[in-house]
C-alpha cells in the first residue's frame, strides 16, 4: 500500500499536492494535461525530488528520506533506461547487485529473465545493437529481476509504435500480476488506460487526485480531463 | 546527511590541496615581497615589455590566422585534415624544442641567413624582442587558426544557403556573415593568446633577455639566479600575479570559445571566387604550413644523425623526465577527477580547479623556494617542486576538458544510477570511468606532455645536477653544442608526442562505445 500523506511538491512557481492511498496490487494510470505534473509526481515517489511537505509511506513505513535506490520500487524512464556501454547481461546484473558480482546463480536468473521477456540469447549484445522494443524489454527484465513491489512507468514505451507499445503493456500487466506488484503508469492514451489500468489518478490544476475507476472517469470526465481528451 | 558528506569529502580534499598548493606559496610571496619597494626601473621595463609583447603576439597571431582559417574553410585539398590536426600539435610541443627549430631557420647560422648572405643581403638576428614575438606567433598562430576556423564552421550551412539564394557576392557574405562571426570570435582568441604570452618564460629565457626583451617571469629568474635578491623576486612575482588576475578578470567577462574545437568537416560548400582568391588562399596555406613545419623539419634533419652521440647524461635526464611526467599525470588526474565530478553541483570545485591560473610556474616556484629554504637545500627539491607546479598548472586544462562531459554523464545517467543504487567505487568502475574514458585519456595526454616539455620552475631549483630533458637541452644550447641540442630536441619532441598519443589512444581504447 502506497500512501501519499499531504504531499506537496514545489518547483519554482509550480506546485502539486497529493493526499491519497494506492492499494497493494493496484494498477493505476496517471493521466492529465501536459505540464500538469505527472512525471513530477513519479519523480517525487521515486526519490528524485525532495517534497516541500508531507510524507511518502510504503506499507506504513516512511520512505520520504530514503535514497532512490533504497526505495521499494523500480522506475522506467522515458529514455536512458540502460547504460549503453554495458552489455545486456551486465545491465540486467545491475538489477541484482549494483557492484556486479555475478555468480552462476545470478547468471541463471538473468537468463531466465531474458527468456521471460522474449530476448533469449541476446545477453552479450550492447543496447545499441537492439531495436527500441528490445531495449524496452531489457529494462522491463531488469525490473523483473529487482522484484520490487512498486513499479513506476514514466512513459517508457512512448517512442514505440502502437502495436509494439500494446505488446509491452500486456507484458507489464502479466509481470505485475505474477509478482503482485503495484503499478503507476503515466499515460496519454485513454485506450491504454482502459485496457490495463482499472484505476486512474487524475493530475490537473495542481492536484493529483485519489485513484478513481478508469471507465467511470473516462465516460464522465471532469472539465480539465475533458478539455485534455478533446472530442 | 552522512551520504552528502561522503559525497563531497573527496572533492573537498582535492580542493583544499589545490588551494594550499597555490595560496601557500602566494602567501609566502606576499609576505616576503612586502610591497613593491624592491622594484627597480628595469623591472618596470619588464612589465611594459611583458604587456606589449603579449598584445603584439596575440594581435599578429590573430591577424595572420584570419586568411589561413578562411582558406582552410573554403578549400578542400588532400592533407587538409592532417594539416588541421597538426595545428593542434604546438599546444603540447615543448617550448625549448620549438626555439631550437626556430634558431635552425632564423638563427645566426640558420637557413634564412644563409640565403640572405648568398644574395649579398644583410643578415638578421633572432635574439631580442622580435625573436620572442616570432616564437610566440609560431606557437599561437595554429591555436588562433583553429579557433577562428571553428567560428567559420559554426556559421550554419542554412545561412550560407540563404546568402546564395539572395545572390550575395563575396563582399556581402563578408559583411553580413563573416564579420559578425569574427567580431564574436576574435576577442576570445586574442585574449587566450594574450594570457599564454603573459607568463612566457622559456621563450624569453632563450631568445630574449637584456633590457629590451625581459618578461616579468624572466626578471624573477634573473633576480634569483644572478642577484639572489629574493625580496625583489617576490615583488616581481606579486606583479605577475596582479597582471594575471587583471587579464583573467577581463577574460571572465568574455566567454572564450573552446580552444580544442574545430576539425569537423562540413560538406564542402560551392565556392565561386576567382583566380586571385585562389592564389591568395594558396599563399596563406602554404605560408602557414612552411612557417610551422620547416623549423620542426630542420630539427629532425639536424638531430637524427646526432642521436647516437648523445651522452649518457642525456639519457638519464630522459628517464627523469619520463618519471616526472608519469607522476605529474597521476597527481593531475587524481585532483581533476573528483573536482570535475563535483563541479556541476558545487561551484567551489570548479573555482578551486581554476585557481592555479592566477599563478605562473615561476611565481609558484618563488613561493615554494621561500618556504623550503629555511629547512632544506632547495636543490634537493627540484623534482618534487617541478612535479607539484606542473600538476597544478595542468589542472585547469584537464578540468575544463572534463566538465562538459561530466555534465552530459550526470544529465543522462544520474537518475538511472540512483534508482539502481549504483554508488561509490562500483559507480566509478562501471559508469564514470568508462563514460569519461576519452576525455580522461586526452586530459592525461595533456598533463603528461606539459611536464615532459616544461622548462620553468626547475631552472630556479636545479643546481645543474638534477636535470630534466628540457633543462639538459637548455644547457646544451648554452654550450653551443647545437648538433647535440637538435638530437636531444628530436628525442624530447618524439617522447612528448608519444606520451600524448599513448594516453589518448588508451582513452579511446578504454571507451566501450
Amino acid at each position: 500500500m502506497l500512501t501519499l500523506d499531504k504531499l506537496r511538491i514545489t518547483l519554482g512557481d509550480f506546485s502539486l499536492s497529493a493526499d491519497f492511498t494506492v492499494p497493494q496490487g493496484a494498477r493505476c494510470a496517471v493521466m492529465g494535461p501536459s505540464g500538469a505534473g505527472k512525471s513530477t509526481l513519479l519523480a517525487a515517489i521515486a526519490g528524485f525530488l525532495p517534497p516541500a511537505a508531507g510524507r511518502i509511506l510504503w506499507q506504513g513505513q516512511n520512505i520520504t528520506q530514503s535514497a532512490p535506490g533504497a526505495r521499494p520500487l523500480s522506475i522506467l524512464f522515458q529514455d536512458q533506461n540502460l547504460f549503453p556501454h554495458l552489455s545486456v547481461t551486465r545491465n540486467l546484473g545491475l538489477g541484482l547487485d549494483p557492484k556486479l558480482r555475478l555468480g552462476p546463480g545470478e547468471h541463471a536468473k538473468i537468463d531466465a529473465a531474458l527468456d521471460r521477456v522474449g530476448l533469449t540469447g541476446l545477453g552479450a549484445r550492447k543496447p545499441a545493437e537492439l531495436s527500441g522494443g528490445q531495449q524496452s524489454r531489457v529494462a522491463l527484465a531488469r525490473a523483473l529481476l529487482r522484484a520490487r513491489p512498486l513499479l513506476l512507468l514514466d512513459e517508457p514505451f512512448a517512442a514505440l509504435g502502437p502495436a509494439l507499445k500494446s505488446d509491452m503493456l500486456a507484458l507489464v500487466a502479466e509481470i505485475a500480476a505474477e509478482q503482485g506488484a503495484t503499478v503507476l503508469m503515466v499515460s496519454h492514451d485513454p485506450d491504454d488506460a482502459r485496457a490495463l489500468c482499472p484505476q486512474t489518478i487524475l493530475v490537473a490544476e495542481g492536484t493529483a487526485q485519489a485513484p478513481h475507476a478508469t471507465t467511470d472517469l473516462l465516460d464522465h470526465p471532469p472539465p480539465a480531463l475533458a478539455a485534455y481528451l478533446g472530442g | 546527511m552522512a551520504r552528502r558528506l561522503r559525497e563531497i569529502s573527496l572533492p573537498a580534499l582535492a580542493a583544499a590541496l589545490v588551494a594550499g598548493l597555490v595560496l601557500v606559496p602566494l602567501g609566502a610571496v606576499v609576505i616576503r615581497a612586502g610591497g613593491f619597494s624592491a622594484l627597480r626601473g628595469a623591472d618596470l621595463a619588464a612589465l611594459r615589455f611583458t604587456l606589449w609583447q603579449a598584445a603584439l603576439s596575440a594581435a599578429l597571431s590573430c591577424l595572420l590566422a584570419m586568411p589561413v582559417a578562411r582558406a582552410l574553410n573554403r578549400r578542400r585539398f588532400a592533407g587538409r585534415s592532417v594539416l588541421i590536426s597538426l595545428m593542434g600539435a604546438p599546444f603540447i610541443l615543448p617550448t625549448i624544442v620549438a626555439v631550437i627549430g626556430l634558431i635552425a631557420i632564423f638563427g645566426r647560422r640558420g637557413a634564412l641567413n644563409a640565403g640572405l648572405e648568398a644574395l649579398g643581403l644583410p643578415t638578421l638576428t633572432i635574439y631580442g624582442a622580435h625573436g620572442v614575438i616570432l616564437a610566440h606567433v609560431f606557437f599561437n598562430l595554429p591555436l588562433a587558426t583553429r579557433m577562428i576556423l571553428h567560428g567559420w564552421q559554426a556559421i550554419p550551412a542554412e545561412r550560407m544557403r540563404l546568402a546564395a539564394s539572395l545572390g550575395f557576392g563575396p563582399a556581402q557574405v563578408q559583411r553580413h556573415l563573416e564579420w559578425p562571426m569574427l567580431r564574436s570570435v576574435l576577442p576570445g582568441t586574442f585574449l587566450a593568446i594574450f594570457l599564454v604570452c603573459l607568463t612566457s618564460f622559456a621563450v624569453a629565457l632563450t631568445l630574449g633577455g637584456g633590457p629590451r626583451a625581459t618578461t616579468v617571469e624572466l626578471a624573477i629568474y634573473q633576480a634569483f639566479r644572478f642577484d639572489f635578491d629574493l625580496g625583489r623576486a617576490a615583488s616581481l612575482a606579486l606583479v605577475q600575479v596582479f597582471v594575471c588576475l587583471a587579464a583573467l578578470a577581463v577574460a571572465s567577462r568574455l566567454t572564450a570559445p573552446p580552444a580544442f574545437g574545430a576539425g569537423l568537416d562540413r560538406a564542402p560548400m560551392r565556392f565561386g571566387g576567382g583566380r586571385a582568391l585562389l592564389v591568395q588562399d594558396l599563399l596563406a596555406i602554404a605560408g602557414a604550413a612552411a612557417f610551422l613545419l620547416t623549423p620542426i623539419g630542420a630539427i629532425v634533419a639536424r638531430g637524427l644523425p646526432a642521436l647516437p652521440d648523445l651522452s649518457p647524461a642525456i639519457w638519464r635526464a630522459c628517464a627523469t623526465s619520463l618519471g616526472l611526467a608519469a607522476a605529474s599525470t597521476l597527481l593531475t588526474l587524481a585532483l581533476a577527477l573528483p573536482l570535475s565530478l563535483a563541479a556541476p553541483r558545487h561551484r567551489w570545485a570548479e573555482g578551486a580547479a581554476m585557481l592555479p591560473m592566477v599563478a605562473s610556474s615561476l611565481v609558484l616556484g618563488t613561493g615554494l623556494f621561500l618556504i623550503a629554504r629555511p629547512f632544506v637545500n632547495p636543490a634537493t627539491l627540484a623534482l618534487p617542486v617541478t612535479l607539484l607546479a606542473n600538476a597544478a598548472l595542468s589542472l585547469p586544462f584537464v578540468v575544463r576538458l572534463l566538465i562538459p562531459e561530466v555534465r552530459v554523464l550526470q544529465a543522462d545517467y544520474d537518475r538511472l544510477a540512483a534508482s539502481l543504487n549504483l554508488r561509490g567505487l562500483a559507480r566509478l568502475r562501471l559508469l564514470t570511468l568508462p563514460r569519461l574514458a576519452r576525455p580522461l585519456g586526452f586530459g592525461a595526454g595533456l598533463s603528461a606532455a606539459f611536464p615532459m616539455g616544461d622548462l620553468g620552475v626547475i631552472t630556479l631549483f636545479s643546481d645543474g645536477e638534477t636535470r630534466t630533458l628540457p633543462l639538459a637541452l637548455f644547457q646544451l644550447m648554452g654550450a653551443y653544442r647545437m648538433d647535440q641540442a637538435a638530437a636531444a630536441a628530436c628525442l624530447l619532441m618524439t617522447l612528448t608526442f608519444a606520451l600524448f598519443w599513448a594516453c589518448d589512444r588508451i582513452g579511446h581504447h578504454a571507451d566501450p562505445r
Side-chain angles (χ1 to χ4, degrees):
Chain A
M1 191 170 70
L2 174 72
T3 307
L4 305 180
D5 176 24
K6 299 190 181 63
L7 190 69
R8 196 158 56 76
I9 309 152
T10 50
L11 280 173
D13 290 343
F14 174 84
S15 164
L16 180 71
S17 47
D19 187 26
F20 57 80
T21 293
V22 179
Q24 192 165 2
R27 285 208 301 274
C28 289
V30 180
M31 294 189 82
S34 296
K38 302 183 292 290
S39 293
T40 308
L41 179 67
L42 259 60
I45 297 172
F48 296 117
L49 274 178
R55 297 185 304 161
I56 301 167
L57 303 119
W58 177 254
Q59 312 291 39
Q61 203 169 14
N62 189 356
I63 58 166
T64 321
Q65 303 300 330
S66 308
R71 299 189 180 204
L73 58 88
S74 287
I75 180 166
L76 299 191
F77 308 104
Q78 257 182 31
D79 47 22
Q80 312 285 18
N81 281 305
L82 302 175
F83 292 113
H85 57 285
L86 299 180
S87 68
V88 166
T89 299
R90 282 159 78 83
N91 264 295
L92 291 180
L94 285 173
L96 292 172
D97 177 10
K99 293 195 167 70
L100 268 188
R101 289 166 302 204
L102 305 178
E106 280 78 15
H107 278 289
K109 282 186 193 166
I110 289 169
D111 289 342
L114 279 174
D115 290 346
R116 180 67 190 83
V117 298
L119 294 179
T120 311
L122 297 187
R125 300 236 184 134
K126 294 271 177 71
E129 296 165 322
L130 302 177
S131 71
Q134 289 173 322
Q135 291 179 14
S136 301
R137 285 168 189 269
V138 175
L140 200 56
R142 192 182 54 214
L144 184 68
L145 287 171
R146 278 165 61 84
R148 303 284 166 113
L150 179 59
L151 182 60
L152 307 180
L153 305 179
D154 190 3
E155 299 191 86
F157 314 129
L160 303 181
L164 215 47
K165 189 171 81 169
S166 47
D167 283 357
M168 290 306 301
L169 290 173
L171 188 58
V172 167
E174 276 176 43
I175 288 174
E178 282 166 26
Q179 300 198 329
T182 310
V183 179
L184 296 188
M185 175 183 104
V186 172
S187 175
H188 281 291
D189 188 342
D191 294 335
D192 287 348
R194 267 187 220 274
L196 282 166
C197 302
Q199 308 223 283
T200 293
I201 294 168
L202 177 62
V203 180
E205 293 160 348
T207 315
Q209 292 172 8
H212 198 281
T214 304
T215 355
D216 192 31
L217 200 65
L218 289 175
D219 291 344
H220 311 282
L225 184 60
Y228 166 66
L229 293 172
Chain B
M1 200 61 210
R3 185 152 41 103
R4 282 213 84 113
L5 267 180
R6 247 200 331 267
E7 220 168 71
I8 65 159
S9 59
L10 259 184
L13 181 66
L17 279 175
V18 177
L21 195 53
V22 175
L23 296 179
V24 172
L26 278 190
V29 163
V30 170
I31 292 167
R32 187 66 174 83
F36 299 107
S37 53
L39 295 181
R40 306 179 191 158
D43 300 328
L44 212 65
L47 175 61
R48 253 202 314 273
F49 176 71
T50 302
L51 293 174
W52 85 253
Q53 63 79 19
L56 196 60
S57 302
L60 279 176
S61 300
C62 288
L63 208 65
L64 294 173
M66 273 192 285
V68 182
R70 188 177 54 184
L72 283 173
N73 180 54
R74 65 188 177 195
R75 305 289 171 191
R76 292 293 179 276
F77 53 91
R80 174 180 174 275
S81 62
V82 175
L83 186 61
I84 294 176
S85 304
L86 275 178
M87 295 246 170
F91 199 69
I92 55 168
L93 182 70
T95 318
I96 186 89
V97 171
V99 165
I100 289 178
L102 288 170
I103 291 175
I105 300 296
F106 299 97
R108 206 162 298 157
R109 296 183 184 180
L112 184 68
N113 276 337
L116 288 174
E117 242 168 31
L119 294 174
L121 294 170
T123 56
L124 306 168
T125 167
I126 193 179
Y127 297 98
H130 55 280
V132 171
I133 290 163
L134 179 79
H136 285 165
V137 172
F138 176 84
F139 272 104
N140 294 301
L141 174 63
L143 177 70
T145 304
R146 278 171 71 111
M147 286 169 89
I148 296 172
L149 179 62
H150 193 65
W152 242 296
Q153 291 177 334
I155 298 177
E158 293 82 355
R159 215 58 61 73
M160 285 301 194
R161 209 171 51 195
L162 181 62
S165 75
L166 293 175
F168 279 17
Q172 279 98 333
V173 169
Q174 223 167 56
R175 180 170 155 218
H176 294 294
L177 294 175
E178 296 179 331
W179 274 119
M181 178 280 291
L182 286 173
R183 264 203 305 276
S184 75
V185 170
L186 281 177
T189 309
F190 177 90
L191 215 59
I193 297 170
F194 183 76
L195 270 173
V196 172
C197 295
L198 274 185
T199 55
S200 177
F201 171 67
V203 166
L205 176 69
T206 46
L207 296 177
R212 298 242 195 113
T214 297
T215 58
V216 175
E217 286 280 278
L218 183 57
I220 298 174
Y221 169 81
Q222 289 168 346
F224 250 93
R225 287 240 84 126
F226 302 154
D227 311 333
F228 206 71
D229 184 345
L230 289 181
R232 201 169 128 245
S235 300
L236 281 162
L238 206 55
V239 170
Q240 180 74 65
V241 170
F242 278 117
V243 169
C244 284
L245 273 176
L248 284 173
V250 177
S252 68
R253 298 175 151 262
L254 280 168
T255 40
F260 306 104
L264 271 182
D265 278 325
R266 197 178 284 273
M269 195 178 54
R270 188 187 60 81
F271 181 73
R275 184 162 296 172
L277 280 180
L278 179 65
V279 170
Q280 189 189 324
D281 286 351
L282 212 64
L283 281 178
I285 294 173
F291 176 49
L292 297 175
L293 294 177
T294 46
I296 304 300
I299 296 176
V300 175
R302 189 165 184 184
L304 271 185
L307 263 182
D309 307 332
L310 282 178
S311 67
I314 296 292
W315 293 105
R316 272 198 302 278
C318 211
T320 306
S321 272
L322 284 172
L324 178 74
S328 177
T329 305
L330 286 179
L331 181 58
T332 307
L333 292 186
L335 293 170
L337 193 58
L339 288 176
S340 319
L341 290 175
R345 287 199 191 95
H346 305 286
R347 283 201 65 96
W348 53 259
E350 186 175 353
M354 296 302 140
L355 195 58
M357 293 180 79
V358 306
S360 65
S361 177
L362 279 257
V363 169
L364 285 181
T366 308
L368 291 169
F369 192 98
L370 290 171
I371 296 166
R373 204 168 79 101
F375 307 105
V376 284
N377 174 10
T380 59
L381 293 179
L383 289 179
V385 165
T386 308
L387 182 141
L388 287 177
N390 271 291
L393 295 172
S394 309
L395 186 65
F397 291 98
V398 180
V399 169
R400 280 215 175 142
L401 210 65
L402 284 173
I403 284 180
E405 309 275 346
V406 168
R407 279 187 207 282
V408 172
L409 172 77
Q410 294 183 345
D412 284 353
Y413 301 112
D414 253 11
R415 284 188 166 198
L416 178 57
S419 75
L420 294 173
N421 224 359
L422 187 57
R423 292 185 286 124
L425 280 178
R427 181 180 159 123
L428 187 71
R429 178 169 59 91
L430 296 171
L431 177 60
T432 309
L433 291 182
R435 300 298 301 179
L436 294 181
R438 276 166 198 251
L440 275 174
F442 189 76
L446 288 184
S447 43
F450 290 162
M452 192 69 206
D454 177 55
L455 179 64
V457 68
I458 183 121
T459 55
L460 289 187
F461 280 77
S462 178
D463 50 5
E465 295 296 307
T466 318
R467 263 179 304 206
T468 58
L469 192 49
L471 184 63
L473 236 171
F474 177 57
Q475 291 169 342
L476 284 175
M477 268 180 79
Y480 294 104
R481 293 166 64 185
M482 291 314 279
D483 282 334
Q484 295 262 310
C490 250
L491 188 63
L492 177 56
M493 178 168 66
T494 310
L495 285 175
T496 308
F497 285 138
L499 271 182
F500 174 79
W501 183 82
C503 292
D504 193 43
R505 285 324 302 170
I506 291 171
H508 272 76
H509 188 71
D511 185 332
R513 265 169 279 188

